[in-house]
Amino acid sequence: MLEEGFHKVPLGHVATVVTYLEMTSPAALRPAELPEGVTLRRVTDPDTVWYKDLFMRVGGQDWLWFSRLKMENSKLGAIIRDPDVHMFTLDLGGTAQAILELDFREKGKCEVAFFGVAPALTGSTAGRCLMNHAITYAFAQGIDMLHLHTCTMDHPRALAFYRRTGFTPVRQEIEVLEDPRLTGDLPREAAPHIPIFA
């Protein structure tokens, strides 16, 4: 446990506050319709190249998502093609523009492992529609808990969005990690709002 007070972050690293949230019964859905031309589909047998490209567009460029980008394709493929990991996306003009990754590998629970929309859908009703689908679909599988986490490097409205959706914050952690822009996992120009301390 960290003691109270300030703690220096090492050079070449970034720090973020991670908030864990849970939902133990289906929350009331917030009405929304998919934007015109957008369709929801389940992705079966996803390709790792396709996945990493989408992962980068949804979270890598703006929010420093990098964990899956540096993962070996064999390990990543084993996760995203696991029969208990269900993948959905939103298509616009024939291109995937969202990630909804539901992980049912822990009995009785479902983790929203990754959730987000690419810039082409940011600010529309797409995110709300995708989350409505996540809640309805996950609880239809007979789970007791739907959970996820977000951090202060995510979209600044992410935590408020999850709370409005019906998730309850249950704990927080501080994560310190090597800056992925300095390790080569992300371009140096990614997430310009987060300073680099080299």
Side-chain angles (χ1 to χ4, degrees):
M1 299 291 288
L2 287 175
E3 297 179 2
E4 289 187 21
F6 294 94
H7 302 272
K8 188 174 181 179
V9 177
L11 290 178
H13 289 68
V14 290
T16 183
V17 179
V18 182
T19 301
Y20 295 83
L21 303 98
E22 297 177 354
M23 183 185 294
T24 54
S25 61
L29 302 182
R30 299 168 61 222
E33 293 185 6
L34 284 174
E36 185 176 350
V38 175
T39 56
L40 170 71
R41 73 177 167 98
R42 182 167 176 188
V43 182
T44 57
D45 196 29
D47 176 76
T48 55
V49 174
W50 173 89
Y51 180 91
K52 285 184 174 182
D53 174 69
L54 179 60
F55 189 90
M56 178 66 183
R57 285 187 291 112
V58 170
Q61 192 61 43
D62 292 329
W63 314 118
L64 292 191
W65 290 14
F66 74 97
S67 59
R68 295 288 177 81
L69 298 176
K70 68 184 223 172
M71 192 176 287
E72 291 182 6
N73 284 342
S74 58
K75 183 176 179 182
L76 174 60
I79 294 171
I80 64 177
R81 289 193 287 267
D82 188 294
D84 291 324
V85 175
H86 300 187
M87 188 84 58
F88 296 87
T89 191
L90 297 175
D91 287 327
L92 174 63
T95 301
Q97 299 287 357
I99 287 178
L100 170 58
E101 186 177 328
L102 298 175
D103 187 338
F104 293 93
R105 290 179 294 176
E106 185 176 357
K107 185 175 176 58
K109 297 181 181 181
C110 175
E111 179 184 10
V112 181
F114 289 98
F115 174 89
V117 298
L121 295 179
T122 300
S124 72
T125 56
R128 192 187 312 174
C129 290
L130 193 60
M131 183 54 73
N132 284 348
H133 177 73
I135 294 168
T136 302
Y137 182 89
F139 279 101
Q141 312 309 307
I143 61 167
D144 301 314
M145 181 197 296
L146 182 64
H147 63 103
L148 54 80
H149 66 271
T150 186
C151 73
T152 50
M153 290 193 299
D154 281 338
H155 192 289
R157 294 194 296 271
L159 180 55
F161 171 82
Y162 295 134
R163 295 183 73 183
R164 283 194 309 272
T165 299
F167 286 91
T168 300
V170 293
R171 72 181 191 280
Q172 286 186 318
E173 295 177 346
I174 304 294
E175 182 179 17
V176 177
L177 60 154
E178 283 189 284
D179 191 323
R181 296 164 297 184
L182 297 176
T183 62
D185 294 305
L186 285 175
R188 196 175 177 96
E189 64 271 16
H193 61 287
I194 300 174
I196 295 174
F197 298 101

